[in-house]
Amino acid sequence: MTDAPTPNPSDDVKPGQEPAHAQALRTLTRLTEEAEIDRKGLDWSVIRRLWGLTRPYARQRNRLLVLTVVRAMQVALLPYLLARTLTGPVTDGGPDAWRRTLWAAAGFFAFALFTEGVFRMRVFSALRLGESVVSDLRRQIFAHLQSQPMAFFDRTKLGRIISRMTSDAENVRLGIQDVAFVSIVQLGQMLFSGVILAIVNPLLFGVVLVMAPAVYALSRFFTGRLASTYRAIQESFSRVTATLAEAVNGMRVTQSFARESYNAEIFGDLVRSHSGHNYRAARLIAAYLPALELNIQLVFSAIVVFGAWQVLAGSGSAAAMGLSPEQAADSLIVFALVAPTFFGPIAVVARMYNQALLSMAGAERVFALLDREPEKLDPPDAQDVGPIDGRVEFEGVTFGYDPSRPVLHEVAFAAEPGQTVALVGHTGSGKSTITNLIAKFYAPTGGRVTIDGVDIAGVTSASLRRQMGIVLQSNFLFTGSVRDNIRVGQEHATDGQVAAAVDALECTDLFEALPDGLDTEVGELGVSLSLGQRQLVCFARAMLADPRILILDEATSSVDALTEQRVQAALARLLQKRTSFVVAHRLSTIRDADQVLVMDHGRITERGRHHELLGLAGTYAQLYRQFLHATDSA
């Protein structure tokens, strides 16, 4: 019956040899999206903030505090009551000694049952409070992630985000439900036991106090070194998680280029680095706990020596403390049973300190994420854009994902309502960047983007995007059915509206051919559908949204020629009376565009209609010839 969790063992890792690909490991190590936290020891500002997470559950928390204090008193009183039973009816003797011993034993057992009940209630209440807090925290993290702009996700590795939501949040849970209340029980137990010992025999308790600084100094020596080690463990685990997520997402590329062994070596280095930190922590604990135990046994030896001196040296030495030799002997029995409840918490609190360091490391990373102010693309006074006609104009727009390295240079063009604008050019020329700025995923570093003459910098992103439809090359699908994924374009759409959107694309028969029709589960990331089927789901999603501005970014790159022919007519209807921006390498999708903008290194080098640009015999004509050659070769 204890309030102290057992620490997990760590694997032994042989340090030393640096592998040949250690440079790759160092590169991965440097890939951090945030400044590393470098604090020593406990940070009370973080502790206060952690405690603040319990505020919504103040009633439950306060009840738990009461149970914790009661539990601490009970743990100290149990051995004291047992000692008094032994030094009372058992040693007093007399004709009714047996009866009094039975009554004392029954009372002791009843009190032990009460203690067990309080213990169970305390543990359950702590687990419930921890779960409530961590559930709220994870909801806060998720909501905060939803508010972050695209730039945040471009810079932050997926594994780090997952780590904040999982291991870091779990360490916060342990800090609240385990560290806080177990520590209160243990410290309260020490306090009440100390009061009992001081009352029973001041001299022996003085011996304990004299030896206490040595125990404290030992704890300070080791816990200071454990602080940095546990933070290193957290950070190295975050790197392992990030690399694992990246490896799983990129498995197709890994196997395509036969990089399995190389990636395994890199991951192995990260795991070895993480294990090395765990090994260092294990060595510190393995040295600390035995040293602490040895110190405690030394204190017990001193108690035995001084207690025996009080009893054996005669009545004078005992009288000096106001005790008779018999009382001194009884007090030695009390010390033998109660002293472990005074010293025992030292090792437990030391382990709780180690867990507190882990909890604080996790809390610091979670709070660093929550405190990261989103790079607001909407000013405080942003207004809803209202219904739009769809005139889009770029006025000398310059932009760079890294402001020091622009990828667009003073781009200027206008798209009238209902026009289709095609963006062509080599990879990296800035086509997708233009669509990102139209959708307000990013803000220009120079110039402005207007819709219906209104600078979109002053309108809310949500009101703008509600009137946009975007189909990307990645054709991302959520876990669920085909119908659910089409309904992403309009979450309250009826089954009839979904069916109408599919019918408008003239691909109803393709979806009906699926095992369960529109109710077919797409699987994680849509793996149960072909690339062409995924594209068609995204087209239907855009059709259902009925947007005023439509963006097709490489939207037909994964559709085979036969499927493309089937969707061309549907796309033509989808593009009607909508301002559309089409980014495509397959020039067959842009022959009928009202404008073709040819991009090269972030600048518009040619503009006009398809036949006009062919007449110029420039970049577009060259791209078109390459397309025809590729088509003939196929």
Side-chain angles (χ1 to χ4, degrees):
M1 188 171 63
T2 177
D3 287 81
T6 302
N8 293 324
S10 298
D11 293 332
D12 190 348
V13 178
K14 294 182 179 179
Q17 298 179 345
E18 184 181 39
H21 48 276
Q23 183 177 359
L25 170 61
R26 288 194 295 271
T27 300
L28 284 171
T29 300
R30 291 195 300 270
L31 291 177
T32 55
E33 96 289 356
E34 58 190 24
E36 297 300 333
I37 299 167
D38 186 21
R39 296 193 178 104
K40 303 297 182 183
L42 298 178
D43 187 323
W44 291 102
S45 64
V46 176
I47 293 175
R48 285 193 296 271
R49 188 167 179 181
L50 278 172
W51 191 252
L53 296 177
T54 67
R55 192 171 295 117
Y57 308 96
R59 188 174 180 180
Q60 179 181 340
R61 177 198 64 199
N62 295 339
R63 183 169 59 250
L64 177 57
L65 282 172
V66 172
L67 289 171
T68 300
V69 173
V70 172
R71 165 73 177 163
M73 295 175 61
Q74 290 174 330
V75 173
L77 284 172
L78 273 173
Y80 176 73
L81 293 177
L82 179 59
R84 283 310 182 195
T85 299
L86 295 175
T87 59
V90 174
T91 58
D92 289 346
D96 62 343
W98 180 247
R99 181 180 58 82
R100 288 187 292 117
T101 299
L102 290 178
W103 276 110
F108 173 80
F109 183 71
F111 187 76
L113 285 178
F114 174 53
T115 302
E116 181 68 19
V118 171
F119 176 54
R120 289 178 179 273
M121 292 173 62
R122 190 205 71 75
V123 171
F124 175 75
S125 298
L127 292 173
R128 184 180 176 187
L129 178 64
E131 180 59 35
S132 299
V133 168
V134 81
S135 295
D136 287 350
L137 188 62
R138 283 174 171 151
R139 281 192 290 267
Q140 289 179 38
I141 295 173
F142 188 82
H144 189 68
L145 289 171
Q146 299 295 303
S147 70
Q148 294 292 332
M150 289 301 301
F152 169 81
F153 298 99
D154 290 339
R155 294 193 303 264
T156 308
K157 296 181 77 171
L158 173 61
R160 289 185 173 275
I161 297 175
I162 295 174
S163 181
R164 300 299 173 266
M165 186 72 80
T166 55
S167 61
D168 289 334
E170 189 63 26
N171 279 323
V172 170
R173 178 214 299 272
L174 294 177
I176 290 175
Q177 75 183 27
D178 242 5
V179 174
F181 296 102
V182 170
S183 297
I184 291 174
V185 169
Q186 298 298 320
L187 293 174
Q189 173 183 326
M190 285 187 69
L191 174 62
F192 292 120
S193 298
V195 171
I196 292 172
L197 296 176
I199 294 174
V200 169
N201 194 321
L203 175 62
L204 294 186
F205 187 65
V207 173
V208 172
L209 293 181
V210 169
M211 302 291 288
V215 178
Y216 174 77
L218 181 70
S219 296
R220 288 284 296 176
F221 177 81
F222 281 97
T223 53
R225 284 159 177 76
L226 283 166
S228 59
T229 302
Y230 277 111
R231 285 189 170 86
I233 288 173
Q234 284 294 97
E235 180 53 35
S236 64
F237 182 75
S238 179
R239 288 196 294 269
V240 168
T241 306
T243 305
L244 177 62
E246 187 178 71
V248 172
N249 285 332
M251 188 58 68
R252 186 180 300 275
V253 176
T254 297
Q255 294 185 0
S256 298
F257 290 92
R259 281 178 53 96
E260 293 92 340
S261 60
Y262 181 76
N263 285 4
E265 289 177 350
I266 293 177
F267 187 75
D269 285 341
L270 289 174
V271 171
R272 278 188 288 273
S273 174
H274 178 63
S275 296
H277 294 305
N278 277 303
Y279 176 61
R280 181 169 183 265
R283 284 191 302 176
L284 287 170
I285 293 173
Y288 173 40
L289 294 181
L292 183 62
E293 183 70 21
L294 182 61
N295 271 265
I296 292 174
Q297 297 305 328
L298 180 61
V299 175
F300 272 112
S301 299
I303 290 174
V304 171
V305 170
F306 281 91
W309 173 75
Q310 277 189 320
V311 175
L312 300 176
S315 59
S317 59
M321 292 288 102
L323 300 172
S324 67
E326 292 76 12
Q327 289 175 323
D330 290 347
S331 68
L332 193 56
I333 296 175
V334 172
F335 262 76
L337 294 176
V338 177
T341 66
F342 180 82
F343 289 110
I346 296 177
V348 177
V349 171
R351 291 201 294 270
M352 288 297 97
Y353 183 84
N354 297 335
Q355 180 58 57
L357 297 179
L358 279 174
S359 299
M360 283 191 55
E364 287 168 350
R365 285 170 172 78
V366 169
F367 293 153
L369 173 61
L370 293 176
D371 292 341
R372 182 194 293 269
E373 287 293 332
E375 299 170 13
K376 295 290 187 181
L377 295 177
D378 298 343
D381 58 347
Q383 303 292 322
D384 285 355
V385 69
I388 62 176
D389 293 326
R391 185 181 190 278
V392 179
E393 184 172 4
F394 274 50
E395 301 177 4
V397 171
T398 298
F399 173 77
Y401 298 98
D402 178 353
S404 64
R405 301 175 59 185
V407 295
L408 293 183
H409 304 272
E410 297 184 352
V411 172
F413 69 87
E416 299 300 329
Q419 281 192 342
T420 298
V421 177
L423 302 168
V424 300
H426 295 290
T427 300
S429 59
K431 308 183 298 296
S432 295
T433 300
I434 287 178
T435 62
N436 285 336
L437 295 176
I438 294 172
K440 205 180 176 183
F441 290 141
Y442 300 88
T445 53
R448 65 178 195 156
V449 179
T450 67
I451 292 183
D452 296 345
V454 177
D455 189 345
I456 64 173
V459 303
T460 60
S461 301
S463 67
L464 179 64
R465 293 171 192 157
R466 277 195 293 267
Q467 301 183 68
M468 287 186 177
I470 303 176
V471 180
L472 304 175
Q473 182 181 14
S474 58
N475 50 70
F476 184 88
L477 299 184
F478 296 92
T479 300
S481 67
V482 171
R483 190 189 310 277
D484 294 334
N485 274 277
I486 295 175
R487 196 173 274 131
V488 168
Q490 191 180 118
E491 58 185 14
H492 300 299
T494 64
D495 289 349
Q497 290 172 316
V498 172
V502 172
D503 187 61
L505 289 176
E506 298 184 354
C507 56
T508 302
D509 58 324
L510 294 177
F511 287 120
E512 288 179 345
L514 294 172
D516 296 311
L518 290 177
D519 294 317
T520 300
E521 293 293 318
V522 302
E524 186 175 2
L525 300 179
V527 293
S528 65
L529 303 182
S530 68
L531 290 175
Q533 289 169 334
R534 292 180 222 169
Q535 289 284 351
L536 290 173
V537 171
C538 295
F539 287 147
R541 180 189 293 171
M543 178 70 79
L544 182 63
D546 191 23
R548 297 303 308 148
I549 297 175
L550 180 66
I551 295 174
L552 304 176
D553 192 347
E554 308 285 1
T556 59
S557 60
S558 298
V559 179
D560 57 68
L562 179 61
T563 305
E564 184 180 359
Q565 291 177 2
R566 296 195 59 180
V567 302
Q568 285 299 327
L571 283 176
R573 287 193 293 273
L574 180 62
L575 297 174
Q576 286 178 359
K577 298 181 181 180
R578 293 183 176 89
T579 308
S580 305
F581 295 86
V582 181
V583 179
H585 288 300
R586 303 177 76 161
L587 302 183
S588 60
T589 61
I590 57 175
R591 287 194 182 101
D592 297 327
D594 298 291
Q595 287 190 71
V596 178
L597 303 180
V598 182
M599 303 294 300
D600 184 30
H601 293 90
R603 291 182 170 85
I604 298 176
T605 57
E606 297 177 9
R607 67 181 75 203
R609 296 180 67 89
H610 169 71
H611 64 277
E612 296 171 347
L613 295 179
L614 287 180
L616 294 177
T619 303
Y620 181 81
Q622 181 183 1
L623 290 171
Y624 189 70
R625 285 195 298 272
Q626 292 174 354
F627 163 71
L628 292 178
H629 177 72
T631 303
D632 293 339
S633 299

